[in-house]
Amino acid sequence: MERKKDWFKEMVLYQIYPRSFADSNGDGVGDLNGIIEKLDYLEDLGVNAIWLSPIYKSPNVDNGYDIADYKSIMDEFGSFDDWKRLRDGCHRRGMHLIMDLVLNHTSDQHEWFKKSRQSKNNSLSNYYIWHDPVDGGRPNNWESVFGGSAWEFAEERGQYYLHLFAKEQPDLNWECKQLREEIFDTIRWWIEQGTDGFRVDAISYLEKPNGFPNSKKAPTGADGLVMDMEMCSNLPKTHQYIHDMKTEAFEKYNVMTVGEVACDSPACAWDYVARERREFDMIIPFVPPIVEIKTWSPKAMKDSISSMYKKLQNDGWWARFLSNHDKPRQVSLYGDDGQYWEASAKMLATMLHMLPGTPFIYQGEEIGMTNAYYSSIDEYDDIDTHNFYQKLLSAGEPLEQALSLAQKISRDNARSPMQWDGTENTGFTSGTPWIKVNPNHTKINVQEQLERPNSIFKYYQKLIKMRKEHPIMVYGDFMPLFEDKDTIIAYTRSYQDETWLVLLNFCKQQASVNLTKPGICGKILLSNYGRTDDCFGEILLDPYEALVLQVD
Ligand code: GLC
Ligand code: CA
């Protein structure tokens, strides 16, 4: 099939969590000048787009996902001039700059909210979701994502406001046309400044269900509260608002967009990315880490890949990612961060880059960074981790058990400082880092891998280079193979006269695959075990082996 060519399909994107990437002034917090200093590194890796997690003014209750001013830069990160230098540095290197937009909510420190809460009849009173008390108390039984009721009382108005996330993150009222206009204006303003695209945060919750009914599900929190985000997910007006955002802003400038949405079924994904619906170019489906840890398997993963492919192949596109700032490290979650650390990191990279879709690399993934596994809860910073841990304790979970679970799901696993070298603070800062460095930085770091020929970094470099040279990796058709083998993910990619075979072994044991029937013979294009033989009958894959063959 001949797919429509688009720049965002051909790119390789690199996500930066600015707080943890590189600190230029020794205050222990990563910043824009730190990123500028590392642009040569990113160019050397070969990526051609970077996405910055939010860098706007924020009190950092949720590390920047609580925005206090959409048009100014957080002091700790630098100034607007620094942002312009970063933009120019990217563009000079042929790299796109992608910004994060948080539009479901703002910080309670945003001027809009400060004014809105003052009275029921000022010019911004309608910008947030306000509700009278019901029977003298909160309007319904919803629990917020970061714990406690989703409603908070404001004395000034004698009313509750809704916050699906922390109480310092009030939800915006998208029903209000004036608010929507102001947001679209802000988006156009960032595009005029030279932004090339957006990752749009938690965007599937814009419309709330009519009348704010109670959830009928079993309680998930204290006082009978229920966390039931499904009630607010993917409602019709949410799609209408996104469509308007596309036609009023994104589309006018041909910028790239990727929406973070709570949906993992192919039909739901299609609604967001089908070209004719004019909403997003791709989506990042959000799955809470605790759910993913419990339900993940190679079988579930490949079933989802195949069904999503079938549904979206004609008119949609995929963001391919295994990691981001909300997830445990991929090598710890899907691979092995012990004995097969290096093999499994490369195997996962092979999958990411060889699937149809745009690869998203999360900082540190290219050197195989692992979970941080901090030894005490006090070493964790993340609001979500602390809420999760407290909930376990209230449910009677023993301390050790609660810590062990928190260590596995914590978003700080992805937020520990980027490991540049083996020195005390891993080259991240000359001061005291805002969050502890992972002790394994003495072994896992950029410097070591830049010097070693077969490092994970060099493997990523190779994959990215291959993508630039072989349109089959971008536009090739996908067909799953060996679907009955639960721990192997295998598929072909085909484009024009060429076919590639990708074999990935997802376990610590060897696994055999019989290639006699397809009669596969061909050149090895990539191997994470340094294989060189070319023809296969029965092949025994090593633990976490990845192989890419060009089929004759
Ligand atoms: C998204 C972000 C996450 C944040 C949440 C609330 O899921 O990725 O980091 O906490 O939205 O804004
Ligand atoms: Ca700094």
Side-chain angles (χ1 to χ4, degrees):
M1 195 188 104
E2 202 53 43
R3 295 202 158 75
K4 184 172 174 293
K5 301 226 166 9
D6 281 302
W7 67 269
F8 66 81
K9 295 179 179 167
E10 292 170 24
M11 75 181 176
V12 177
L13 179 147
Y14 187 95
Q15 181 190 352
I16 292 180
Y17 196 70
R19 220 178 172 68
S20 306
F21 191 61
D23 172 24
S24 69
N25 62 352
D27 66 354
V29 176
D31 46 53
L32 297 183
N33 282 320
I35 301 173
I36 293 171
E37 285 167 18
K38 300 296 182 188
L39 285 176
D40 287 340
Y41 167 78
L42 296 172
E43 187 179 19
D44 185 37
L45 177 60
V47 298
N48 39 26
I50 61 175
W51 146 29
L52 304 179
S53 276
I55 55 165
Y56 317 94
K57 195 170 160 209
S58 164
N60 285 312
V61 170
D62 188 18
N63 279 354
Y65 284 92
D66 46 327
I67 297 176
D69 181 351
Y70 287 102
K71 288 190 185 168
S72 64
I73 306 291
M74 193 190 302
D75 288 340
E76 281 174 305
F77 288 171
S79 65
F80 195 63
D81 281 339
D82 296 332
W83 183 85
K84 285 187 186 153
R85 287 196 302 119
L86 174 60
R87 171 200 65 194
D88 296 344
C90 286
H91 290 167
R92 230 185 359 260
R93 291 171 175 82
M95 281 166 23
H96 302 287
L97 181 58
I98 311 298
M99 297 285 280
D100 211 316
L101 277 175
V102 188
L103 305 177
N104 177 71
H105 44 266
T106 66
S107 160
D108 62 348
Q109 299 307 305
H110 196 294
E111 290 304 324
W112 293 347
F113 188 71
K114 288 190 191 160
K115 177 138 194 212
S116 186
R117 75 181 297 158
Q118 276 168 15
S119 69
K120 291 181 187 169
N121 49 15
N122 66 67
S123 58
L124 306 184
S125 23
N126 214 9
Y127 266 35
Y128 294 83
I129 301 174
W130 294 97
H131 204 295
D132 287 329
V134 173
D135 299 331
R138 53 182 194 237
N140 66 22
N141 66 356
W142 296 356
E143 186 187 25
S144 73
V145 171
F146 296 142
S149 168
W151 298 94
E152 183 75 11
F153 192 69
E155 295 289 342
E156 303 92 317
R157 284 179 66 138
Q159 283 185 312
Y160 286 88
Y161 65 86
L162 178 70
H163 60 90
L164 293 182
F165 293 88
K167 67 177 192 313
E168 297 87 353
Q169 292 170 300
D171 279 52
L172 286 163
N173 177 20
W174 276 74
E175 299 246 320
C176 171
K177 185 152 192 289
Q178 188 189 327
L179 166 87
R180 297 202 301 272
E181 296 292 319
E182 202 157 343
I183 286 182
F184 299 162
D185 253 354
T186 308
I187 298 174
R188 286 187 291 258
W189 184 83
W190 274 107
I191 301 174
E192 303 278 348
Q193 304 306 313
T195 302
D196 304 299
F198 299 95
R199 178 266 189 190
V200 194
D201 183 73
I203 199 67
S204 50
Y205 312 120
L206 299 183
E207 181 188 355
K208 317 299 191 249
N210 234 332
F212 305 97
N214 280 320
S215 167
K216 298 200 175 68
K217 290 189 182 162
T220 49
D223 306 330
L225 293 175
V226 192
M227 193 189 305
D228 185 359
M229 296 295 275
E230 259 175 54
M231 287 185 86
C232 300
S233 298
N234 315 313
L235 296 173
K237 276 194 227 153
T238 294
H239 284 287
Q240 184 60 49
Y241 301 143
I242 297 171
H243 177 79
D244 293 347
M245 210 182 316
K246 171 91 171 178
T247 51
E248 298 288 313
F250 302 146
E251 205 174 62
K252 292 205 158 95
Y253 304 81
N254 191 26
V255 296
M256 178 295 284
T257 60
V258 50
E260 187 213 25
V261 297
C263 84
D264 52 9
S265 79
C268 178
W270 190 88
D271 286 345
Y272 285 107
V273 302
R275 243 194 337 266
E276 68 257 35
R277 289 181 54 89
R278 292 157 77 196
E279 294 190 20
F280 290 122
D281 295 318
M282 322 172 232
I283 54 164
I284 294 174
F286 179 78
V287 183
I290 186 69
V291 174
E292 184 155 36
I293 280 168
K294 288 188 180 152
T295 58
W296 174 80
S297 72
K299 171 92 175 80
M301 193 179 235
K302 70 178 177 182
D303 288 351
S304 150
I305 291 170
S306 297
S307 58
M308 285 282 187
Y309 178 80
K310 269 188 207 133
K311 180 79 185 172
L312 305 183
Q313 59 176 322
N314 294 324
D315 44 14
W317 195 249
W318 310 262
R320 292 292 171 198
F321 66 97
L322 293 168
S323 295
N324 60 43
H325 65 291
D326 292 331
K327 284 168 64 94
R329 286 285 175 179
Q330 67 192 47
V331 68
S332 300
L333 177 58
Y334 310 114
D336 172 48
D337 58 14
Q339 186 183 356
Y340 298 110
W341 163 69
E342 181 142 353
S344 66
K346 290 176 181 171
M347 186 277 284
L348 293 169
T350 312
M351 179 170 91
L352 189 81
H353 292 259
M354 290 293 167
L355 280 171
T358 298
F360 282 44
I361 300 169
Y362 179 71
Q363 68 183 44
E365 166 187 333
E366 75 279 20
I367 54 165
M369 277 178 65
T370 68
N371 280 352
Y373 303 122
Y374 296 134
S375 53
S376 132
I377 193 68
D378 302 329
E379 289 173 350
Y380 288 91
D381 170 88
D382 174 29
I383 180 172
D384 187 50
T385 311
H386 284 280
N387 171 48
F388 176 79
Y389 179 77
Q390 286 311 329
K391 265 180 116 171
L392 289 177
L393 293 188
S394 333
E397 199 78 45
L399 281 174
E400 252 169 63
Q401 191 58 26
L403 178 62
S404 151
L405 261 175
Q407 284 172 329
K408 288 199 188 85
I409 68 109
S410 178
R411 306 194 295 183
D412 285 339
N413 284 317
R415 301 175 183 187
S416 69
M418 176 73 186
Q419 292 166 205
W420 295 104
D421 62 35
T423 62
E424 193 188 345
N425 287 319
T426 193
F428 163 70
T429 178
S430 59
T432 309
W434 71 276
I435 191 165
K436 248 180 83 171
V437 302
N438 188 326
N440 70 13
H441 72 276
T442 49
K443 178 180 159 226
I444 302 176
N445 64 65
V446 168
Q447 193 182 31
E448 189 275 332
Q449 296 200 24
L450 286 177
E451 285 161 10
R452 183 159 54 86
N454 291 316
S455 64
I456 301 169
F457 178 90
K458 294 282 163 71
Y459 195 86
Y460 267 82
Q461 226 177 11
K462 190 165 176 183
L463 277 164
I464 297 168
K465 186 160 171 279
M466 282 172 81
R467 185 182 182 83
K468 291 178 185 158
E469 291 162 359
H470 299 278
I472 187 173
M473 286 173 70
V474 182
Y475 296 110
D477 288 340
F478 163 89
M479 201 178 67
L481 281 183
F482 305 117
E483 287 177 282
D484 55 324
K485 300 229 173 218
D486 284 355
T487 58
I488 289 182
I489 298 186
Y491 48 89
T492 56
R493 300 290 307 275
S494 314
Y495 186 68
Q496 293 168 353
D497 302 331
E498 209 177 359
T499 296
W500 290 10
L501 170 68
V502 182
L503 292 172
L504 310 161
N505 180 15
F506 265 79
C507 70
K508 286 186 182 161
Q509 283 76 41
Q510 289 186 314
S512 76
V513 181
N514 195 339
L515 296 180
T516 329
K517 234 212 220 125
I520 300 218
C521 208
K523 193 167 108 214
I524 291 193
L525 297 171
L526 193 69
S527 156
N528 65 343
Y529 271 83
R531 256 187 216 266
T532 50
D533 41 336
D534 275 357
C535 277
F536 302 100
E538 179 92 6
I539 171 175
L540 201 57
L541 293 172
D542 275 321
Y544 296 105
E545 178 160 7
L547 206 55
V548 183
L549 284 174
Q550 186 173 36
V551 181
D552 280 347

